[in-house]
């Protein structure tokens, strides 16, 4: 072969080079179109190019990309969004879409799924499908309903899948937990500094500053999120992850044990202080529950749980005495009108459900439907302009179909955690993880019982990551894990070594 022929072959563009050039030109054209004439089609086209680019980068190390997203999310949540009115493109939407795309085009081997994890995933898909169907058929506000679906359902499902696929070893589970710890610390620090210095980020996130009129106009901190409820629940979930990160470090080498034994309590205190500033009584109660379960719940050690519970209760009692002199605390503790208002609202929710029992009135249509229902009162207190419960809201807006799917999702979540409990016997790391996930799930349930948390996205994403750690830990045990082995007649003396071996 002549030198000229070899030169020609080396200069001839390959298929991948041509595709790269076309992609680069298309991305530049999309970016130019957005800068010259911003509109929904051009923004969507530019976002698709961004997702593809990030997917190619994330595909090299999905774990590092996922943890980086988790750490940066609270800081960039109020800042990285376009346009400001409507927020068609956000940091979470772009990065999570890129991570899912990177996993889809990757060629990594997939682990066999455990029965409880597979059942939970199927329940989540069914719930998401029904939510999407009702969002599409919600008129005349289908666009707003679809935005709620994306942020509150689709993104958490994506976060669960990414965490479940990438946390394929105990070390990677710990890395994801570290990301949650940093995320919670950043959120708490933003809330604390917001309280101390008086700035706010809620307006940048699509919300508004909320003043508590019952407590003399005290500003309710919301950190980087649009509403204080998301701020408080996100901290509850990250506090549960912090308990796992702290306790898990005590089971490893001396260096890690010393590092986490010192830093873990400090970060936990920072997040508890952030939760206290939210002024939600459910947040205060959840902080105590998380501490008790995270520190005390271990397989076969009920005395430890009782001792930790007594110590936390005593500490709470000691702190309660001086807090009684604080006017805001005293007002929040003694206020019973909002409880009566919630009960009245639940009656309104039942009336709304009766108007459309199978499919509900539509996503985000509770307030509109409430205007057509006679006002209800309980103990002289009128109903409020919100479902004030994720379950009441789901029943009214999605009807029996959506409500049943939500209950089934909760049931299969409990089943998955029971599977993790079987694996936890004889495995200290899984015991600590099980305690943390149970504490986080109970906190989410407590918030959802009296606040409308389901349509709010960031706290759902934090819960999805925590449940993804549980699912990954179950599947890390392999096909001979205790969840499958529990159906045999083998005794604990045989099960424990087998679980330890595959872990």
């Amino acid at each position: 072969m002549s030198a000229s022929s070899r030169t020609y072959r080396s200069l001839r563009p390959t298929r991948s080079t041509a595709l790269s050039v076309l992609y680069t030109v298309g991305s530049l054209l999309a970016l130019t179109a957005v800068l010259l004439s911003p509109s929904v089609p051009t923004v969507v086209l530019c976002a698709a190019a961004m997702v593809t680019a990030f997917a190619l980068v994330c595909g090299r190390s999905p774990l590092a990309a996922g943890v980086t997203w988790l750490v940066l999310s609270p800081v960039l949540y109020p800042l990285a969004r376009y346009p400001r009115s409507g927020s068609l493109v956000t940091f979470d939407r772009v990065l999570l879409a890129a991570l899912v795309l990177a996993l889809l085009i990757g060629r990594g081997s997939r682990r066999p799924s455990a029965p409880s994890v597979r059942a939970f995933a199927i329940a989540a898909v069914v719930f998401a499908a029904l939510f999407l169907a009702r969002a599409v058929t919600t008129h005349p506000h289908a666009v707003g309903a679809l935005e709620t679906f994306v942020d509150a359902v689709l993104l958490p499902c994506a976060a669960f899948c990414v965490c479940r696929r990438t946390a394929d070893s105990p070390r990677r589970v710990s890395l994801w937990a570290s990301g949650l710890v940093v995320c919670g610390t950043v959120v708490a620090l933003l809330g604390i500094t917001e309280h101390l210095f008086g700035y706010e980020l809620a307006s940048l996130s699509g919300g508004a500053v909320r003043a508590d009129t019952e407590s003399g106009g005290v500003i309710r901190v919301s950190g980087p999120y649009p509403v204080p409820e998301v701020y408080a629940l996100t901290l509850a979930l990250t506090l549960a992850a912090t308990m796992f990160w702290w306790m898990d470090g005590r089971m490893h080498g001396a260096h890690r044990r010393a590092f986490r034994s010192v830093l873990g309590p400090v970060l936990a205190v920072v997040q508890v202080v952030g939760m206290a500033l939210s002024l939600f009584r459910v947040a205060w109660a959840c902080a105590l529950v998380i501490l008790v379960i995270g520190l005390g719940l271990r397989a076969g050690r009920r005395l430890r749980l009782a001792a930790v519970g007594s110590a936390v209760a005593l500490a709470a009692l000691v702190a309660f005495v001086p807090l009684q002199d604080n006017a805001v605390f005293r007002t929040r503790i003694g206020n019973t009108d909002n409880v009566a208002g919630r009960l009245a609202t639940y009656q309104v929710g039942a009336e709304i459900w009766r108007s459309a029992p199978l499919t509900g009135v539509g996503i985000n249509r509770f307030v509109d439907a409430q205007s057509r229902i006679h006002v209800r009162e309980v103990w002289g207190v009128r109903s409020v302009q919100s479902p004030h419960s994720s379950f009441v809201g789901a029943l009214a807006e999605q009807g029996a179909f959506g409500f049943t799917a939500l209950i089934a999702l909760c049931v299969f979540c409990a089943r998955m955690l029971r599977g993790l409990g079987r694996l936890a016997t004889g495995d200290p790391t899984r015991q600590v993880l099980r305690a943390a996930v149970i504490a986080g799930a109970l906190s989410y349930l407590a918030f959802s019982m009296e606040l409308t948390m389901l349509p709010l996205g960031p706290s759902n994403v934090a819960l999805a990551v925590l449940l993804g750690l549980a699912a990954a830990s179950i599947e890390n045990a392999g096909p001979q894990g205790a969840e499958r082995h529990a159906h045999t007649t083998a005794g604990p003396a045989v099960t424990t070594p087998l679980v330890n071996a595959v872990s």
Side-chain angles (χ1 to χ4, degrees):
M1 182 181 297
S2 63
S4 59
S5 298
R6 288 195 299 268
T7 303
Y8 171 76
R9 288 181 177 273
S10 63
L11 294 177
R12 189 174 59 182
T14 62
R15 180 179 179 182
S16 60
T17 303
L19 291 176
S20 300
V21 171
L22 289 175
Y23 171 75
T24 303
V25 172
S27 300
L28 291 175
L29 291 176
L31 180 60
T32 304
V34 170
L35 294 176
L36 295 178
S37 178
S39 62
V40 172
T42 57
V43 170
V44 170
L45 184 61
C46 184
M50 292 171 58
V51 168
T52 307
F54 280 124
L56 296 176
V57 176
C58 295
R60 295 181 177 274
S61 180
L63 173 66
V67 175
T68 302
W69 155 74
L70 195 57
V71 170
L72 295 179
S73 178
V75 177
L76 296 181
Y77 184 86
L79 303 176
R81 52 180 61 239
Y82 181 86
R84 285 296 173 188
S85 58
S87 298
L88 182 62
V89 178
T90 66
F91 176 73
D92 285 349
R93 293 177 184 178
V94 171
L95 259 293
L96 281 174
L99 284 167
V100 171
L101 181 59
L103 292 179
L104 290 176
I105 63 180
R107 297 181 179 180
S109 59
R110 298 189 60 181
R111 295 165 294 168
S113 60
S116 63
V117 176
R118 183 166 58 249
F120 174 76
I122 293 173
V125 170
V126 171
F127 175 75
L130 291 174
F131 198 107
L132 175 60
R134 194 62 190 95
V136 171
T137 56
T138 296
H139 298 291
H141 304 293
V143 174
L146 286 173
E147 289 182 354
T148 300
F149 165 75
V150 170
D151 291 331
V153 179
L154 187 60
L155 292 187
C157 288
F160 175 82
C161 293
V162 171
C163 183
R164 175 189 172 191
R165 286 283 302 275
T166 57
D168 53 2
S169 69
R171 185 184 67 86
R172 295 189 170 192
V173 169
S174 182
L175 284 175
W176 271 103
S178 301
L180 280 173
V181 172
V182 176
C183 174
T185 304
V186 171
V187 171
L189 289 176
L190 289 174
I192 293 171
T193 54
E194 178 182 338
H195 174 76
L196 294 177
F197 302 111
Y199 71 90
E200 58 87 16
L201 298 174
S203 58
L204 298 177
S205 304
V209 177
R210 184 186 304 177
D212 191 348
T213 56
E214 300 169 352
S215 304
V218 176
I219 300 298
R220 303 285 287 272
V221 299
S222 58
Y225 304 119
V227 292
E229 290 87 346
V230 173
Y231 165 78
L233 180 51
T234 300
L235 283 180
L237 295 168
T238 57
L239 177 62
T242 302
M243 301 306 297
F244 164 68
W245 182 81
W246 172 18
M247 293 289 103
D248 181 54
R250 297 164 60 90
M251 304 168 191
H252 297 279
H255 176 72
R256 182 184 296 185
R257 181 167 60 250
F259 176 74
R260 295 192 183 182
S261 296
V262 173
L263 192 59
V266 174
L267 299 182
V269 168
V270 171
Q271 294 174 53
V272 169
V273 171
M275 293 176 66
L277 294 177
S278 69
L279 301 184
F280 285 108
R281 288 172 293 185
V282 65
W284 300 344
C286 285
L288 299 178
V289 170
I290 291 169
L291 292 176
V292 171
I293 295 179
L295 295 174
L297 183 61
R298 302 292 184 269
R301 302 181 65 179
R302 297 181 180 179
L303 184 60
R304 176 190 175 108
L305 181 62
V308 171
S310 301
V312 172
L314 180 61
L317 183 61
V318 171
F320 177 78
V321 175
L323 284 175
Q324 285 183 311
D325 297 331
N326 184 280
V328 175
F329 178 81
R330 189 169 57 251
T331 302
R332 293 297 301 164
I333 288 293
N335 184 17
T336 58
D337 288 347
N338 55 6
V339 176
R342 284 177 172 84
L343 295 177
T345 305
Y346 299 160
Q347 295 180 8
V348 172
E351 289 293 328
I352 295 175
W353 169 67
R354 292 189 187 99
S355 67
L358 293 181
T359 59
V361 295
I363 306 300
N364 299 333
R365 298 286 293 169
F366 184 93
V367 176
D368 293 337
Q370 188 178 12
S371 62
R372 299 189 294 270
I373 304 295
H374 293 295
V375 176
R376 296 290 189 273
E377 292 187 1
V378 172
W379 305 329
V381 181
R382 297 162 62 95
S383 56
V384 296
Q385 296 292 317
S386 169
H388 258 294
S389 170
S390 295
F391 296 96
V392 173
L395 182 64
E397 295 183 351
Q398 301 179 60
F401 290 150
F403 180 77
T404 303
L406 178 60
I407 296 299
L409 185 62
C410 295
V411 171
F412 284 109
C413 177
R415 181 188 174 191
M416 184 175 68
L417 295 184
R418 187 176 63 179
L420 181 60
R422 294 193 187 102
L423 286 171
T425 305
D427 189 328
T429 295
R430 285 195 174 94
Q431 287 190 33
V432 176
L433 178 61
R434 169 176 170 264
V437 178
I438 288 176
L442 289 178
S443 297
Y444 188 90
L445 180 62
F447 269 82
S448 297
M449 291 294 290
E450 66 167 46
L451 297 169
T452 315
M453 302 308 306
L454 182 60
L456 306 177
S459 51
N460 292 359
V461 171
L463 175 67
V465 172
L466 201 59
L467 294 177
L469 295 181
S473 183
I474 293 173
E475 293 178 334
N476 287 344
Q480 295 180 339
E483 179 176 295
R484 298 170 179 80
H485 191 67
H487 298 288
T488 68
T489 59
V494 177
T495 304
T496 298
L498 182 58
V499 174
N500 291 336
V502 298
S503 298

